[in-house]
Amino acid sequence: MNKVMVIGSFLILLAGCAKPPENPNILDDQATAAGDQGSSYGGDCAGMTGTAPVIDTEDRDQWGTAGLDLEAMDRRFEAGDDFFCFVNGAWYVNFLMPEDKTRYGSFTLLADKSEARVKKIIEELATRAPDPDTLEGKVAAFYSAYLDSDGIDKRGLAPAQSYLQQIQQIKNRTDLAEAFGTLGFASPLGGWVDIDSKDTENYIFYITQSGLGLPDRDIYLSDDGENKATRAGYLKYLTVLLAAADYAEPAVVAARVLALETDIARAHWDRAVGRNRNLTYNKITLDKLLELGAGFPMEPMLQKLQLAEQAEFVVRELNPNSAKIAELGLDEDQVEKISGGGVSGILSLMVSADLADWQAYLTAHFLSDHAAVLPKAIDHASFEFYAKQLRGQEQQRPRWKRAVSAVESSLGEAVGSIYAARYFPPENKRAMDALVKNLRLAMADNLDELAWMSDATKVAARDKLKKFTPKMGYAEKFATYESLTVGSHAFENTMAANRWAYDDMIGQLGQPIDRTEWFMLPQTVNAYYSPNRNEIVFPAAILQPPFFNIAADPAINYGAIGAVIGHELGHGFDDQGSKSDGDGVLRNWWSDADRQAFEDKTDALVGQYDAFCPLDGGDTCINGRLGLGENSGDLGGLSMALKAYKMSLDGNGDGRISADEQAPVIGGYTGEQRFFMAWAQAWRSKYREQALRQQLIRGPHSPPYYRVNGVVRNFDEWYEAFDVDAESALYLPPSERIRIW
Ligand SMILES: [Zn+2]
């Protein structure tokens, strides 16, 4: 279970780096996923039997001289019918899903490798028996306390008692407000500190809707798919939690908690509409925020959260007035989807809902949010619902793996500094810098050629491209956790670490912007683009095969990590990222005509993805609108990377690839073929059906099968490279192929 989902209190913690940047355009949802077997969504390339993954923490090359896993291919598939299965089919059929996973792919493979390496680092630290006041000592103590599940079990609910008592003693709305502001308690409002999107020299506190125990509001509100069964499972889970907290009629009270959460869900905005950054940027004064409370005493909550002195806030889900609706061009359907009230709807629930129901809600969520460091019965109930029922995970992950994750969440930068020094050699950094340079040139070239964009807008776009900051490998500095005390009890350690992370984050308010800050650890297999900072960030752990292979030829590296970097760069120009300029400021630098032309293109892309319906006999589909930023990022990224790849071949720089500059044929495949195959290989992946369902509901990333097949069919070069014609299943007539960047 990951932190973002579990910690429902006012802050949204993300790993050890304390908070997500606003609109963190992360590359993949892997962090929220754990494993997968059953589902077949890729036609015949689906299969159930085979071998489990082998995790190799040393860098013995598994990718051959071609940089491609040729044994993973299934040549019975025509590339033009199913490119994913053509490249990955044999792997797909032969791969045996580990029981503690709900999906598996290149990300997981590298994440497992990272996990094993981090374990090694921690155990080495521990064997040296370091002084508990040193950083090494804190890591070792945190890890071993977390591992001690028998010790945790023996203490029962004793460590949680003072928190549960505080909840029981709530007598009025002021007490309730204090509870919502207390770290460790759930709250239907969340928030974090980040750069102010319109004033990028200052930090500000963002407030957002939160507080649901189920992953999406629609699960509460619609009976589609498995939603009813999911709610029934959740009700059962709440009942177990409330029984553990000694409620006399836990089932009755659980039903009331579910009803309360359903009301919260009604107030929530729809996820896809809520992606609109102009709609969610609502800066208001403290007085205005207090007014929104309409009878709910917000001061004690803000006081507790160290926010009472803040002059301004950004409230993401603030009801737009008619002028704003007109300005943003929202249609009736979109307005309907955000009509629940957002933050003010939630605040009025804080006033109107029964105190007893809020108490039960806080109690159940407190136990659920800290299940991993509470007695086994609670931990097990959490697994049964969140992992097994929701995602189809068959077995709990071994305790050591969870302990590694917990160290990563709480003291990740302590491990990160060692990881970076050990596993990210300087030559990798140099190679990456060269790749990024070519990608930037390619993007500049692509911009010049765009027929749909006006010259004035191109000037601003080029300026934005010039100001991009790439960060590769690891941060310049790492947290030292000096004020964090770690002892021998997992529960107390977790609470202390959350406190440390929150204080660290809040301490940024009023300070100059820290441009060196990273929101991911070097050992994290992922990447992101931050529009407020106009930067792309690639941790060391993703800069490995099959994404980046220093031994492979350029086709592989451009097709995999090159396109992934292009994807992140593309976020700077996608439907939301393009709303920030080169300095990260949220402002319109497009002409209306350009914006319209861009939206016509992206609408067509929404249509292509809406038509991919992998579940329930074609009834459950990708939400093309929700995934738009990601899908256009993939399309733009691959296009940039292809261009950069060609530039890398053009040794004499005359703008064409002469005969002696052609890429060699390696492993039987041409340079362009390997380029596209590297993309498909990087996204090889398998899901359990439940995990796939959650991914479709929550988005925004399309399942990897479609990140491959949905993208390549828009490239003329792919048709040429693999002789794809109108008879092929993936064929699109040239007029329907979309090229945005
Ligand atoms: Zn992305």
Side-chain angles (χ1 to χ4, degrees):
M1 184 71 46
N2 92 324
K3 276 278 181 217
V4 181
M5 214 155 111
V6 178
I7 298 201
S9 80
F10 207 78
L11 78 158
I12 299 173
L13 274 180
L14 189 73
C17 300
K19 62 190 184 296
E22 197 229 357
N23 286 294
N25 288 295
I26 57 166
L27 184 62
D28 191 61
D29 303 306
Q30 187 72 24
T32 58
D36 113 75
Q37 166 98 358
S39 133
S40 70
Y41 60 94
D44 287 335
C45 107
M48 302 303 135
T49 55
T51 49
V54 179
I55 309 308
D56 183 5
T57 59
E58 308 309 320
D59 269 323
R60 285 181 291 262
D61 184 26
Q62 306 148 37
W63 304 96
T65 46
L68 287 171
D69 183 358
L70 297 173
E71 284 172 18
M73 297 178 68
D74 189 341
R75 291 181 182 79
R76 290 172 304 173
F77 286 91
E78 291 292 336
D81 287 334
D82 191 330
F83 193 58
F84 178 93
C85 293
F86 170 71
V87 176
N88 299 311
W91 173 85
Y92 195 98
V93 172
N94 285 320
F95 182 79
L96 180 67
M97 183 64 57
E99 291 192 326
D100 67 344
K101 297 279 200 287
T102 62
R103 62 179 279 196
Y104 209 98
S106 304
F107 277 89
T108 335
L109 179 77
L110 291 184
D112 278 354
K113 186 163 153 182
S114 231
E115 185 178 60
R117 286 171 164 179
V118 169
K119 182 188 187 213
K120 222 163 119 185
I121 291 173
I122 295 171
E123 286 178 343
E124 278 171 28
L125 287 180
T127 51
R128 279 187 248 141
D131 182 328
D133 289 335
T134 62
L135 191 52
E136 290 80 7
K138 289 176 189 180
V139 170
F142 196 99
Y143 185 71
S144 61
Y146 194 98
L147 274 183
D148 181 18
S149 41
D150 288 339
I152 292 170
D153 216 29
K154 245 179 243 149
R155 298 176 81 208
L157 284 182
Q161 271 325 316
S162 65
Y163 293 90
L164 297 178
Q165 270 162 20
Q166 186 188 333
I167 296 170
Q168 281 155 24
Q169 284 160 5
I170 292 173
K171 297 273 180 305
N172 51 46
R173 302 287 153 176
T174 304
D175 294 345
L176 182 63
E178 279 199 10
F180 286 145
T182 300
L183 233 51
F185 288 145
S187 168
L189 294 179
W192 62 86
V193 176
D194 197 12
I195 290 181
D196 183 336
S197 298
K198 286 198 178 174
D199 171 16
T200 52
E201 293 304 313
N202 285 297
Y203 288 111
I204 197 162
F205 196 85
Y206 288 80
I207 295 176
T208 193
Q209 63 190 18
S210 181
L212 299 178
L214 292 172
D216 190 74
R217 70 159 199 168
D218 289 350
I219 303 177
Y220 294 89
L221 304 178
S222 105
D223 288 345
D224 288 356
E226 298 196 340
N227 291 351
K228 262 180 145 162
T230 302
R231 290 198 301 267
Y234 186 52
L235 193 63
K236 206 171 114 195
Y237 174 53
L238 289 172
T239 306
V240 171
L241 297 171
L242 291 164
D246 289 336
Y247 270 83
E249 291 182 292
V252 175
V253 183
R256 294 195 59 96
V257 173
L258 181 59
L260 176 58
E261 286 190 36
T262 306
D263 286 339
I264 299 173
R266 278 192 196 98
H268 270 225
W269 283 13
D270 170 78
R271 208 180 275 274
V273 181
R275 285 187 64 242
N276 186 331
R277 297 177 63 214
N278 297 108
L279 181 62
T280 54
Y281 183 88
N282 305 294
K283 184 146 82 171
I284 62 171
T285 61
L286 174 62
D287 285 346
K288 180 80 200 296
L289 178 65
L290 296 176
E291 260 172 52
L292 275 189
F296 187 75
M298 289 187 80
E299 290 98 332
M301 179 166 85
L302 296 174
Q303 200 78 45
K304 276 271 184 191
L305 291 163
Q306 306 167 54
L307 293 169
E309 309 294 316
Q310 292 304 307
E312 292 175 315
F313 297 82
V314 173
V315 176
R316 287 173 48 87
E317 296 84 11
L318 187 70
N319 291 338
N321 57 26
S322 47
K324 186 153 186 174
I325 289 171
E327 183 200 322
L328 299 182
L330 300 182
D331 62 32
E332 252 173 60
D333 181 49
Q334 288 170 317
V335 172
E336 165 62 26
K337 285 177 170 167
I338 57 169
S339 60
V343 167
S344 41
I346 286 170
L347 282 162
S348 45
L349 265 180
M350 289 179 173
V351 182
S352 62
D354 271 5
L355 275 184
D357 291 347
W358 279 122
Q359 286 171 299
Y361 166 90
L362 287 167
T363 302
H365 279 254
F366 185 83
L367 296 179
S368 179
D369 293 349
H370 303 95
V373 288
L374 288 172
K376 283 172 196 155
I378 291 174
D379 191 34
H380 182 69
S382 168
F383 166 78
E384 286 287 317
F385 177 65
Y386 282 115
K388 201 168 193 173
Q389 180 171 353
L390 273 187
R391 297 203 307 269
Q393 185 178 332
E394 287 171 8
Q395 261 182 26
Q396 178 62 280
R397 296 161 71 213
R399 191 75 189 173
W400 74 261
K401 291 190 179 190
R402 301 173 68 200
V404 166
S405 300
V407 171
E408 300 269 62
S409 292
S410 295
L411 287 154
E413 294 189 50
V415 179
S417 58
I418 302 171
Y419 181 96
R422 198 177 286 187
Y423 296 114
F424 195 64
E427 61 264 31
N428 284 21
K429 191 166 164 51
R430 279 194 295 274
M432 289 304 301
D433 288 344
L435 211 78
V436 170
K437 192 174 143 237
N438 281 340
L439 282 163
R440 210 193 278 253
L441 287 172
M443 177 76 182
D445 243 41
N446 276 357
L447 278 175
D448 286 341
E449 288 168 12
L450 285 185
W452 58 269
M453 187 184 262
S454 69
D455 287 344
T457 304
K458 280 183 185 177
V459 171
R462 265 186 232 114
D463 177 68
K464 176 157 190 178
L465 187 61
K466 210 169 68 200
K467 289 177 174 166
F468 261 112
T469 309
K471 291 179 173 174
M472 294 291 149
Y474 50 90
E476 289 165 32
K477 54 181 200 230
F478 292 98
T480 51
Y481 304 97
E482 268 151 43
S483 56
L484 173 62
T485 307
V486 178
S488 53
H489 292 307
F491 178 88
E492 283 82 348
N493 289 346
T494 304
M495 301 307 277
N498 287 348
R499 164 56 64 194
W500 182 92
Y502 185 78
D503 290 348
D504 185 58
M505 175 180 85
I506 278 299
Q508 290 184 315
L509 288 167
Q511 299 296 314
I513 303 298
D514 178 4
R515 303 273 166 203
T516 68
E517 190 176 18
W518 278 54
F519 296 101
M520 280 179 188
L521 301 164
Q523 64 271 34
T524 302
V525 184
N526 217 327
Y528 67 89
Y529 169 70
S530 163
N532 289 340
R533 292 167 178 78
N534 195 26
E535 66 182 18
I536 49 170
V537 184
F538 282 80
I542 196 177
L543 302 177
Q544 305 183 69
F547 292 96
F548 169 69
N549 185 345
I550 201 152
D553 95 306
I556 301 300
N557 284 320
Y558 280 97
I561 197 69
V564 166
I565 293 170
H567 169 107
E568 294 303 331
L569 269 173
H571 274 313
F573 299 89
D574 72 15
D575 65 320
Q576 299 307 317
S578 62
K579 291 175 178 173
S580 290
D581 68 14
D583 298 309
V585 179
L586 182 60
R587 71 168 180 90
N588 185 16
W589 49 272
W590 295 57
S591 73
D592 290 347
D594 287 333
R595 174 65 66 187
Q596 192 55 52
F598 177 73
E599 281 175 6
D600 291 346
K601 294 231 170 226
T602 54
D603 282 350
L605 195 62
V606 170
Q608 280 190 11
Y609 280 81
D610 276 346
F612 296 139
C613 302
L615 287 178
D616 304 322
D619 281 346
T620 299
C621 308
I622 290 180
N623 180 340
R625 183 64 58 190
L626 182 60
L628 179 56
E630 296 309 325
N631 299 327
S632 55
D634 283 347
L635 192 58
L638 203 62
S639 137
M640 250 179 269
L642 183 56
K643 180 130 210 171
Y645 172 54
K646 287 180 186 163
M647 287 165 74
S648 79
L649 292 176
D650 179 17
N652 60 12
D654 65 354
R656 50 182 207 91
I657 299 158
S658 54
D660 60 327
E661 290 170 333
Q662 291 290 345
V665 172
I666 302 177
Y669 294 96
T670 67
E672 288 206 351
Q673 286 176 330
R674 291 197 309 282
F675 172 88
F676 287 109
M677 290 164 74
W679 172 254
Q681 172 176 276
W683 288 109
R684 76 182 182 190
S685 186
K686 200 164 168 177
Y687 279 68
R688 291 185 198 275
E689 184 177 323
Q690 294 93 321
L692 178 61
R693 186 180 298 283
Q694 292 308 319
Q695 173 119 8
L696 289 170
I697 294 173
R698 286 176 60 90
H701 298 99
S702 298
Y705 179 77
Y706 301 101
R707 295 186 81 158
V708 176
N709 285 350
V711 171
V712 293
R713 66 204 292 247
N714 285 296
F715 284 83
D716 296 344
E717 292 88 343
W718 175 76
Y719 289 83
E720 282 161 29
F722 293 96
D723 288 328
V724 179
D725 58 27
E727 305 301 309
S728 303
L730 291 175
Y731 179 82
L732 282 175
S735 62
E736 290 175 25
R737 294 174 202 165
I738 303 169
R739 154 99 196 270
I740 302 174
W741 300 110

